């Protein structure tokens, strides 16, 4: 038996940001099928030269991905959503911390998300709710 549900999809996302989100959606979906070490390698290259994303930039990117893709807006779309949001931030010259890990409380399950200023973006959970297993943080610049 299925349970009907409705996804809370954001409205009011500007057209330019929706188009940019659609542009990164395909690479994000392709990346989501790769092994973790390959995802990390691609993201480490993508983050080069980007400044750290602000919480507002990261939230806007996540919201845009959810607005253009039912898959990303759904409960099992965390990996393509987080990858797409990171890539969308990169299009605007910023990079959030991309994370994968598990919930610390039962039921244990895998999850992927983005962070800005050390806090999960758009997850609605406490900062220490997830245990990080793989992260790709903004690259440190020389002399900082």
């Amino acid at each position: 038996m299925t349970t009907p549900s409705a996804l809370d999809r954001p409205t009011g996302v500007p057209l330019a940001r929706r188009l940019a989100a659609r542009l990164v959606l395909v690479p994000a979906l392709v990346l989501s099928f790769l092994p973790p070490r390959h995802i990390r390698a691609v993201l480490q290259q993508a983050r080069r030269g980007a400044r750290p994303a602000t919480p507002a930039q990261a939230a806007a990117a996540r919201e845009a991905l959810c607005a253009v893709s039912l898959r990303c807006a759904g409960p099992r779309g965390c990996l393509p959503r987080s990858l797409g949001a990171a890539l969308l931030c990169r299009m605007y010259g910023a990079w959030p911390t991309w994370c994968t890990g598990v919930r610390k409380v039962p039921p244990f399950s895998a999850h992927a998300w983005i962070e800005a200023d050390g806090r999960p973006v758009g997850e609605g959970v406490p900062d220490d709710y997830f245990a990080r297993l793989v992260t790709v943080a903004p690259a440190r610049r020389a002399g900082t």
Side-chain angles (χ1 to χ4, degrees):
M1 175 181 216
T2 60
T3 304
S5 64
L7 296 175
D8 185 24
R9 292 182 68 189
T11 58
V13 177
L15 178 62
R17 190 166 293 268
R18 285 195 321 263
L19 291 174
R22 286 200 182 273
L23 188 65
V24 300
L25 186 58
V26 172
L29 289 170
V30 171
L31 276 174
S32 71
F33 288 103
L34 295 178
R37 72 177 185 273
H38 293 167
I39 294 173
R40 180 191 290 175
V42 169
L43 295 182
Q44 285 175 335
Q45 288 299 314
R47 74 179 179 179
R48 294 177 65 190
R51 66 188 182 284
T54 65
Q57 289 170 320
R62 185 182 189 282
E63 184 176 287
L65 262 292
C66 291
V68 301
S69 170
L70 279 173
R71 181 179 202 155
C72 290
R76 297 188 185 254
C78 64
L79 185 56
R81 177 178 56 237
S82 65
L83 290 167
L87 294 173
L88 187 56
C89 281
R90 184 60 186 104
M91 284 182 66
Y92 291 99
W95 187 260
T97 300
W98 177 81
C99 306
T100 61
V102 295
R103 285 193 293 214
K104 289 183 177 178
V105 295
F108 298 102
S109 66
H111 190 58
W113 67 98
I114 58 172
E115 293 182 353
D117 291 343
R119 305 186 78 182
V121 174
E123 297 296 330
V125 296
D127 294 350
D128 63 346
Y129 188 76
F130 299 111
R132 293 171 197 84
L133 299 177
V134 178
T135 62
V136 180
R140 291 192 171 159
R141 296 181 185 214
T144 59

